Amino acid sequence: MKIHEYQAKELLRAYGAPVPQGEVAVTAEQAAAAAEKYGRCVLKAQVHSGGRGKAGGVKLADNADAARAFAGKMLGMRLITPQTGPEGRLVRKLLITPAVEVKKEFYLSVTGDSANAALVIIASADGGTEIEETARTHPERIARISVSAVEGFKRYEGLQAAGALGLTGENEKELISLLESMTRLYLEKDCSLVEINPLALTGEGHLLCLDAKVSFDDNALFRHPEIKELRDIEEEDPREYRASQYDLNYVSLGGSIGCLVNGAGLAMATMDIIRHFGGEPANFLDVGGSASKEKVQAAFELLLSDENVRAIFVNIFGGIMKCDVIAEGVTAAAREMGIAIPLIVRLEGTNVELGRQILAASSLKIITAENMADGARKAVEAAARTGGGEQ
Ligand code: GDP
Ligand code: MN
């Protein structure tokens, strides 16, 4: 789960990190009122995407009038960055924060390092909006310092980071304290990323987190109701949000074949075999091992509501999941929403005969498949016939 910059900064502040003041504005008047307090200030579009600076989502205003004018333009615009896709993101909120004199910009983050079962601090003296470019052209300018996930952050790891950033004296102490906050936040709240870019060295000679990005491990959210509340569903893919309400593992993809599968492994294999036959899956969808009829129905409705879907491939190997439950969910959804596209079904395993009877007794026009390959081939052919072929 992602959160907004202003929320990330509040969390970091609570963990003792040096974060500038700020106020959220949803109207130009609110932006002007905040600017009145701060004087020279920065207006920042609050969308779940980085790269805002280069895309016009970060503006420096000299006074309240300028802030009002910028806010009028920014609120309601669609911000297009390399991370948003061509449709961009609607700007609904701005963060107004005092403009700070910046002497130098660093990059600093904490994330997981699964290969080493550890955390890793990533630090670079070349921070700011060009960090991706630096990572590509000068990877040696980016330091990686491993931190034990069990023992947590150690002071000498902070000293190493300070060395990599060329920070000494008071700034070295500030960096160690900041890293202590970042790693503690990461571990206590089950984060997947805590990133500060840029970490600024201000004109007054102190470290200050000018930007912040914090993301969380969805599988651990049940432990953090207060974090769950920070969710902004307007920023999420509506289908993925709906899927999460039903506890479905669903990821939207760009293709034309909707897939309803049980088990993550089978779902992956299904996507592979669709590609093998020249098609493109519209989604990854694992209904899980013990889905109810309602859950299957919700899953099938998700597929039907995606206008890119030109054919649906139901690929079920019933183990704990029973084929008749799948059949009931699918037929209930099809009855309610109607289905105008080809439906290819491969059922195998527990209660398969009952499942087939339920499907046969429905008036649904179903293309049955002998096995997985047969089903994938038929789905690709059907999608091509209905206009969702090669892309
Ligand atoms: P991003 O492009 O989405 O990562 O947004 P950032 O918050 O990182 O802002 C982009 C750039 O704007 C930063 O790298 C800074 O150079 C600049 N910036 C942001 N806030 C301030 C500020 O308070 N003072 C100054 N001088 N520059 C800022
Ligand atoms: Mn940034």
Side-chain angles (χ1 to χ4, degrees):
M1 187 184 98
K2 293 180 182 175
I3 58 174
H4 287 294
E5 173 193 0
Y6 74 92
Q7 297 167 318
K9 283 180 166 172
E10 276 167 26
L11 266 176
L12 278 160
R13 187 181 290 117
Y15 274 81
V19 172
Q21 292 171 272
E23 252 176 61
V24 175
V26 296
T27 65
E29 275 320 307
Q30 288 174 356
E36 201 73 61
K37 265 188 271 176
Y38 299 144
R40 244 165 87 85
C41 63
V42 180
L43 289 81
K44 309 183 75 177
Q46 298 298 290
V47 293
H48 286 185
S49 166
R52 295 164 303 169
K54 285 186 177 174
V58 178
K59 295 280 183 204
L60 185 71
D62 281 327
N63 52 45
D65 285 337
R68 185 184 295 105
F70 276 131
K73 283 196 206 118
M74 291 166 84
L75 288 164
M77 81 174 193
R78 293 198 84 88
L79 192 68
I80 302 170
T81 79
Q83 297 175 19
T84 60
E87 70 283 1
R89 281 283 163 79
L90 184 62
V91 179
R92 295 182 173 87
K93 288 180 200 159
L94 300 174
L95 174 64
I96 320 295
T97 174
V100 181
E101 190 198 331
V102 177
K103 270 204 238 160
K104 190 159 172 45
E105 297 191 342
F106 303 97
Y107 175 93
L108 189 65
S109 67
V110 174
T111 187
D113 175 5
S114 46
N116 294 310
L119 309 190
V120 59
I121 294 168
I122 302 174
S124 175
D126 298 325
T129 54
E130 300 297 334
I131 189 68
E132 276 92 2
E133 183 66 12
T134 303
R136 213 166 48 79
T137 54
H138 294 286
E140 75 284 357
R141 290 193 196 159
I142 297 179
R144 298 170 63 90
I145 300 153
S146 191
V147 175
S148 165
V150 179
E151 293 170 20
F153 174 70
K154 302 267 175 41
R155 197 174 167 276
Y156 66 83
E157 291 153 355
L159 290 171
Q160 263 178 282
L165 297 182
L167 294 174
T168 54
E170 197 58 34
N171 294 145
E172 181 182 83
K173 283 188 199 149
E174 289 174 349
L175 183 76
I176 291 171
S177 159
L178 172 58
L179 280 170
E180 194 276 324
S181 301
M182 289 167 71
T183 47
R184 205 157 45 81
L185 167 63
Y186 186 96
L187 289 169
E188 285 182 6
K189 301 292 183 190
D190 291 307
C191 298
S192 54
L193 176 70
V194 177
E195 181 187 77
I196 313 294
N197 185 35
L199 170 65
L201 179 62
T202 65
E204 292 165 1
H206 294 293
L207 294 184
L208 189 63
C209 303
L210 282 196
D211 189 13
K213 185 172 178 180
V214 176
S215 310
F216 303 90
D217 179 350
D218 289 350
N219 291 317
L221 277 178
F222 73 96
R223 300 205 285 205
H224 308 289
E226 77 292 355
I227 299 293
K228 249 182 166 165
E229 274 174 28
L230 302 179
R231 186 168 196 176
D232 182 352
I233 59 169
E234 312 248 41
E235 291 287 321
E236 295 183 26
D237 179 315
R239 270 186 292 273
E240 290 187 8
Y241 176 65
R242 211 171 122 64
S244 75
Q245 287 181 306
Y246 282 94
D247 239 349
L248 293 161
N249 288 313
Y250 175 91
V251 182
S252 266
L253 300 167
S256 61
I257 300 173
C259 305
L260 189 145
V261 188
N262 69 315
L266 187 59
M268 300 281 252
T270 304
M271 294 165 60
D272 281 350
I273 203 162
I274 285 172
R275 291 220 176 85
H276 175 76
F277 286 112
E280 280 295 330
N283 65 287
F284 169 97
L285 172 54
D286 167 16
V287 296
S290 56
S292 63
K293 178 197 145 194
E294 287 70 31
K295 194 164 161 180
V296 173
Q297 180 170 352
F300 202 73
E301 282 170 6
L302 275 178
L303 300 183
L304 287 176
S305 68
D306 183 345
E307 63 230 24
N308 295 323
V309 169
R310 295 276 158 251
I312 292 180
F313 181 23
V314 175
N315 185 17
I316 300 295
F317 188 85
I320 301 168
M321 184 80 231
K322 296 188 181 72
C323 291
D324 56 316
V325 175
I326 292 282
E328 277 181 3
V330 166
T331 50
R335 251 198 315 277
E336 240 161 68
M337 297 189 66
I339 169 166
I341 52 174
L343 172 61
I344 297 89
V345 178
R346 178 254 177 169
L347 283 183
E348 214 53 80
T350 309
N351 293 357
V352 63
E353 284 312 323
L354 192 53
R356 290 195 181 131
Q357 278 169 29
I358 292 167
L359 290 175
S362 75
S363 54
L364 291 178
K365 254 176 66 188
I366 291 171
I367 303 169
T368 52
E370 298 292 318
N371 52 47
M372 199 160 141
D374 184 44
R377 196 180 321 104
K378 284 174 172 164
V380 173
E381 282 167 11
R385 267 203 309 281
T386 51
E390 278 95 85
Q391 358 205 329

